[in-house]
CSV table of all heavy atoms in Angstrom, one decimal:
chain,number,residue,atom,x,y,z
B,391,VAL,N,-41.7,-240.3,-63.8
B,391,VAL,CA,-43.1,-240.3,-64.0
B,391,VAL,C,-43.8,-239.7,-62.8
B,391,VAL,O,-43.6,-240.1,-61.7
B,391,VAL,CB,-43.7,-241.8,-64.2
B,391,VAL,CG1,-45.2,-241.7,-64.5
B,391,VAL,CG2,-42.9,-242.5,-65.3
B,392,VAL,N,-44.7,-238.7,-63.1
B,392,VAL,CA,-45.5,-238.1,-62.1
B,392,VAL,C,-46.9,-238.8,-62.2
B,392,VAL,O,-47.5,-238.8,-63.3
B,392,VAL,CB,-45.6,-236.6,-62.3
B,392,VAL,CG1,-46.5,-236.0,-61.3
B,392,VAL,CG2,-44.2,-235.9,-62.3
B,393,SER,N,-47.3,-239.3,-61.1
B,393,SER,CA,-48.6,-240.0,-61.0
B,393,SER,C,-49.6,-239.2,-60.1
B,393,SER,O,-49.1,-238.8,-59.0
B,393,SER,CB,-48.5,-241.4,-60.6
B,393,SER,OG,-47.6,-242.1,-61.3
B,394,ARG,N,-50.8,-239.0,-60.5
B,394,ARG,CA,-51.8,-238.3,-59.6
B,394,ARG,C,-52.9,-239.3,-59.3
B,394,ARG,O,-53.4,-240.0,-60.2
B,394,ARG,CB,-52.3,-237.1,-60.4
B,394,ARG,CG,-53.3,-236.3,-59.6
B,394,ARG,CD,-53.7,-235.0,-60.2
B,394,ARG,NE,-54.4,-235.1,-61.5
B,394,ARG,CZ,-55.7,-235.3,-61.6
B,394,ARG,NH1,-56.5,-235.3,-60.4
B,394,ARG,NH2,-56.3,-235.4,-62.7
B,395,PHE,N,-53.3,-239.3,-58.0
B,395,PHE,CA,-54.4,-240.2,-57.6
B,395,PHE,C,-55.5,-239.4,-56.9
B,395,PHE,O,-55.2,-238.4,-56.2
B,395,PHE,CB,-53.8,-241.2,-56.5
B,395,PHE,CG,-52.6,-241.9,-57.0
B,395,PHE,CD1,-51.3,-241.4,-56.9
B,395,PHE,CD2,-52.8,-243.2,-57.7
B,395,PHE,CE1,-50.2,-242.1,-57.4
B,395,PHE,CE2,-51.7,-243.8,-58.2
B,395,PHE,CZ,-50.4,-243.3,-58.0
B,396,ASP,N,-56.7,-239.7,-57.2
B,396,ASP,CA,-57.8,-239.0,-56.6
B,396,ASP,C,-57.9,-239.4,-55.1
B,396,ASP,O,-57.9,-240.6,-54.8
B,396,ASP,CB,-59.1,-239.3,-57.3
B,396,ASP,CG,-60.2,-238.4,-57.0
B,396,ASP,OD1,-60.6,-238.3,-55.8
B,396,ASP,OD2,-60.7,-237.7,-57.9
B,397,ARG,N,-58.0,-238.4,-54.3
B,397,ARG,CA,-58.1,-238.6,-52.8
B,397,ARG,C,-59.3,-239.5,-52.4
B,397,ARG,O,-59.3,-240.2,-51.5
B,397,ARG,CB,-58.1,-237.3,-52.1
B,397,ARG,CG,-58.5,-237.3,-50.6
B,397,ARG,CD,-57.4,-237.9,-49.8
B,397,ARG,NE,-57.8,-238.0,-48.4
B,397,ARG,CZ,-58.3,-239.1,-47.8
B,397,ARG,NH1,-58.5,-240.2,-48.4
B,397,ARG,NH2,-58.5,-239.1,-46.4
B,398,ARG,N,-60.4,-239.3,-53.2
B,398,ARG,CA,-61.7,-239.9,-52.8
B,398,ARG,C,-61.6,-241.4,-52.9
B,398,ARG,O,-62.1,-242.2,-52.1
B,398,ARG,CB,-62.8,-239.4,-53.6
B,398,ARG,CG,-63.2,-237.9,-53.3
B,398,ARG,CD,-64.1,-237.3,-54.3
B,398,ARG,NE,-63.4,-237.1,-55.6
B,398,ARG,CZ,-63.9,-236.5,-56.6
B,398,ARG,NH1,-65.1,-235.9,-56.5
B,398,ARG,NH2,-63.2,-236.4,-57.7
B,399,ASP,N,-61.0,-241.9,-54.0
B,399,ASP,CA,-60.9,-243.4,-54.1
B,399,ASP,C,-59.5,-243.9,-54.2
B,399,ASP,O,-59.2,-245.1,-54.5
B,399,ASP,CB,-61.7,-243.9,-55.3
B,399,ASP,CG,-61.3,-243.2,-56.6
B,399,ASP,OD1,-60.3,-242.5,-56.6
B,399,ASP,OD2,-62.0,-243.5,-57.6
B,400,MET,N,-58.5,-243.0,-54.1
B,400,MET,CA,-57.1,-243.3,-54.1
B,400,MET,C,-56.7,-244.1,-55.4
B,400,MET,O,-55.9,-245.0,-55.5
B,400,MET,CB,-56.7,-244.2,-52.9
B,400,MET,CG,-57.0,-243.5,-51.6
B,400,MET,SD,-56.1,-242.0,-51.3
B,400,MET,CE,-54.8,-242.5,-50.2
B,401,THR,N,-57.4,-243.7,-56.5
B,401,THR,CA,-57.2,-244.4,-57.8
B,401,THR,C,-56.5,-243.4,-58.8
B,401,THR,O,-56.7,-242.2,-58.7
B,401,THR,CB,-58.5,-244.8,-58.4
B,401,THR,OG1,-59.1,-245.8,-57.4
B,401,THR,CG2,-58.4,-245.5,-59.7
B,402,LEU,N,-55.7,-244.0,-59.7
B,402,LEU,CA,-54.9,-243.2,-60.6
B,402,LEU,C,-55.8,-242.4,-61.5
B,402,LEU,O,-56.8,-242.8,-62.1
B,402,LEU,CB,-54.1,-244.2,-61.5
B,402,LEU,CG,-53.2,-243.5,-62.5
B,402,LEU,CD1,-52.1,-242.8,-61.8
B,402,LEU,CD2,-52.6,-244.6,-63.5
B,403,SER,N,-55.5,-241.1,-61.5
B,403,SER,CA,-56.3,-240.1,-62.4
B,403,SER,C,-55.5,-239.6,-63.6
B,403,SER,O,-56.0,-239.3,-64.6
B,403,SER,CB,-56.7,-238.9,-61.6
B,403,SER,OG,-57.5,-239.3,-60.5
B,404,GLU,N,-54.1,-239.6,-63.4
B,404,GLU,CA,-53.3,-239.0,-64.4
B,404,GLU,C,-51.9,-239.4,-64.2
B,404,GLU,O,-51.4,-239.6,-63.1
B,404,GLU,CB,-53.4,-237.5,-64.3
B,404,GLU,CG,-52.6,-236.7,-65.3
B,404,GLU,CD,-52.5,-235.2,-65.0
B,404,GLU,OE1,-52.8,-234.8,-63.9
B,404,GLU,OE2,-52.3,-234.4,-66.0
B,405,GLU,N,-51.2,-239.6,-65.3
B,405,GLU,CA,-49.7,-239.8,-65.3
B,405,GLU,C,-49.1,-239.0,-66.4
B,405,GLU,O,-49.6,-239.0,-67.5
B,405,GLU,CB,-49.4,-241.3,-65.4
B,405,GLU,CG,-49.5,-242.1,-64.2
B,405,GLU,CD,-49.0,-243.5,-64.3
B,405,GLU,OE1,-49.4,-244.2,-65.3
B,405,GLU,OE2,-48.3,-244.0,-63.5
B,406,PHE,N,-47.9,-238.5,-66.1
B,406,PHE,CA,-47.2,-237.8,-67.2
B,406,PHE,C,-45.7,-237.9,-67.0
B,406,PHE,O,-45.2,-238.1,-65.9
B,406,PHE,CB,-47.7,-236.4,-67.4
B,406,PHE,CG,-47.4,-235.5,-66.2
B,406,PHE,CD1,-46.2,-234.7,-66.2
B,406,PHE,CD2,-48.3,-235.3,-65.2
B,406,PHE,CE1,-46.0,-233.9,-65.1
B,406,PHE,CE2,-48.1,-234.5,-64.1
B,406,PHE,CZ,-46.9,-233.7,-64.1
B,407,LEU,N,-45.0,-237.7,-68.2
B,407,LEU,CA,-43.6,-237.6,-68.2
B,407,LEU,C,-43.3,-236.1,-68.3
B,407,LEU,O,-43.6,-235.5,-69.3
B,407,LEU,CB,-43.0,-238.3,-69.4
B,407,LEU,CG,-43.5,-239.8,-69.5
B,407,LEU,CD1,-42.9,-240.3,-70.9
B,407,LEU,CD2,-43.0,-240.6,-68.4
B,408,PRO,N,-42.7,-235.4,-67.3
B,408,PRO,CA,-42.4,-234.0,-67.4
B,408,PRO,C,-41.6,-233.7,-68.6
B,408,PRO,O,-40.6,-234.4,-68.9
B,408,PRO,CB,-41.7,-233.7,-66.1
B,408,PRO,CG,-42.1,-234.8,-65.2
B,408,PRO,CD,-42.2,-236.0,-66.0
B,409,ALA,N,-41.9,-232.6,-69.3
B,409,ALA,CA,-41.1,-232.1,-70.4
B,409,ALA,C,-40.3,-230.9,-69.9
B,409,ALA,O,-40.6,-230.3,-68.9
B,409,ALA,CB,-42.0,-231.7,-71.5
B,410,LEU,N,-39.3,-230.6,-70.8
B,410,LEU,CA,-38.5,-229.5,-70.4
B,410,LEU,C,-39.1,-228.1,-70.9
B,410,LEU,O,-39.5,-228.0,-72.0
B,410,LEU,CB,-37.1,-229.6,-71.2
B,410,LEU,CG,-35.9,-229.1,-70.5
B,410,LEU,CD1,-35.8,-229.7,-69.1
B,410,LEU,CD2,-34.7,-229.5,-71.3
B,411,GLY,N,-39.3,-227.2,-70.0
B,411,GLY,CA,-39.9,-225.9,-70.3
B,411,GLY,C,-38.9,-224.9,-70.9
B,411,GLY,O,-37.7,-225.2,-71.0
B,412,ALA,N,-39.5,-223.8,-71.3
B,412,ALA,CA,-38.6,-222.7,-71.9
B,412,ALA,C,-37.6,-222.3,-70.9
B,412,ALA,O,-37.8,-222.2,-69.7
B,412,ALA,CB,-39.5,-221.6,-72.3
B,413,GLY,N,-36.4,-222.0,-71.5
B,413,GLY,CA,-35.3,-221.4,-70.6
B,413,GLY,C,-34.5,-222.5,-70.0
B,413,GLY,O,-33.5,-222.2,-69.3
B,414,LEU,N,-34.8,-223.8,-70.2
B,414,LEU,CA,-34.0,-224.9,-69.6
B,414,LEU,C,-33.4,-225.7,-70.7
B,414,LEU,O,-34.1,-225.9,-71.8
B,414,LEU,CB,-34.9,-225.8,-68.7
B,414,LEU,CG,-35.4,-225.1,-67.4
B,414,LEU,CD1,-36.4,-226.0,-66.7
B,414,LEU,CD2,-34.2,-224.8,-66.5
B,415,ALA,N,-32.3,-226.2,-70.5
B,415,ALA,CA,-31.6,-227.0,-71.6
B,415,ALA,C,-30.8,-228.1,-71.0
B,415,ALA,O,-30.3,-228.0,-69.9
B,415,ALA,CB,-30.6,-226.1,-72.4
B,416,LEU,N,-30.8,-229.2,-71.7
B,416,LEU,CA,-30.0,-230.4,-71.3
B,416,LEU,C,-28.5,-230.1,-71.4
B,416,LEU,O,-28.1,-229.3,-72.3
B,416,LEU,CB,-30.4,-231.6,-72.1
B,416,LEU,CG,-31.8,-232.1,-71.9
B,416,LEU,CD1,-32.1,-233.2,-72.9
B,416,LEU,CD2,-32.0,-232.6,-70.5
B,417,ALA,N,-27.8,-230.7,-70.5
B,417,ALA,CA,-26.3,-230.4,-70.5
B,417,ALA,C,-25.6,-231.0,-71.8
B,417,ALA,O,-24.6,-230.5,-72.2
B,417,ALA,CB,-25.7,-231.0,-69.3
B,418,ALA,N,-26.2,-232.1,-72.3
B,418,ALA,CA,-25.6,-232.7,-73.5
B,418,ALA,C,-26.6,-233.6,-74.1
B,418,ALA,O,-27.6,-234.0,-73.5
B,418,ALA,CB,-24.3,-233.5,-73.1
B,419,GLU,N,-26.3,-234.0,-75.3
B,419,GLU,CA,-27.2,-234.9,-76.0
B,419,GLU,C,-27.2,-236.3,-75.3
B,419,GLU,O,-26.1,-236.7,-74.8
B,419,GLU,CB,-26.8,-235.1,-77.5
B,419,GLU,CG,-27.8,-235.8,-78.3
B,419,GLU,CD,-27.4,-235.9,-79.8
B,419,GLU,OE1,-26.5,-235.1,-80.2
B,419,GLU,OE2,-27.9,-236.8,-80.5
B,420,GLY,N,-28.3,-236.9,-75.1
B,420,GLY,CA,-28.3,-238.2,-74.4
B,420,GLY,C,-28.7,-238.0,-72.9
B,420,GLY,O,-29.0,-239.0,-72.2
B,421,ARG,N,-28.6,-236.8,-72.4
B,421,ARG,CA,-29.0,-236.6,-71.0
B,421,ARG,C,-30.5,-236.4,-70.9
B,421,ARG,O,-31.2,-236.1,-71.9
B,421,ARG,CB,-28.3,-235.3,-70.4
B,421,ARG,CG,-26.8,-235.3,-70.5
B,421,ARG,CD,-26.2,-236.4,-69.7
B,421,ARG,NE,-26.4,-236.4,-68.3
B,421,ARG,CZ,-25.7,-235.8,-67.4
B,421,ARG,NH1,-24.6,-235.1,-67.8
B,421,ARG,NH2,-26.0,-235.8,-66.1
B,422,ALA,N,-31.1,-236.7,-69.8
B,422,ALA,CA,-32.6,-236.7,-69.6
B,422,ALA,C,-33.0,-236.4,-68.2
B,422,ALA,O,-32.2,-236.6,-67.3
B,422,ALA,CB,-33.1,-238.0,-70.1
B,423,LEU,N,-34.2,-235.9,-68.1
B,423,LEU,CA,-34.8,-235.6,-66.8
B,423,LEU,C,-34.9,-236.9,-66.0
B,423,LEU,O,-34.9,-236.9,-64.7
B,423,LEU,CB,-36.1,-235.0,-66.9
B,423,LEU,CG,-36.2,-233.5,-67.5
B,423,LEU,CD1,-37.6,-233.1,-67.7
B,423,LEU,CD2,-35.5,-232.6,-66.5
B,424,ASP,N,-34.9,-238.0,-66.7
B,424,ASP,CA,-35.1,-239.3,-66.0
B,424,ASP,C,-33.9,-239.6,-65.1
B,424,ASP,O,-34.0,-240.6,-64.3
B,424,ASP,CB,-35.1,-240.5,-67.1
B,424,ASP,CG,-36.3,-240.3,-68.0
B,424,ASP,OD1,-37.2,-239.6,-67.7
B,424,ASP,OD2,-36.2,-240.8,-69.2
Side-chain angles (χ1 to χ4, degrees):
Chain B
V391 182
V392 177
S393 306
R394 179 170 70 84
F395 307 87
D396 195 299
R397 166 73 180 96
R398 289 166 294 188
D399 58 4
M400 305 297 257
T401 299
L402 184 67
S403 299
E404 177 189 26
E405 279 186 312
F406 65 89
L407 309 172
L410 213 53
L414 293 170
L416 293 173
E419 195 176 340
R421 304 300 297 270
L423 293 171
D424 301 336

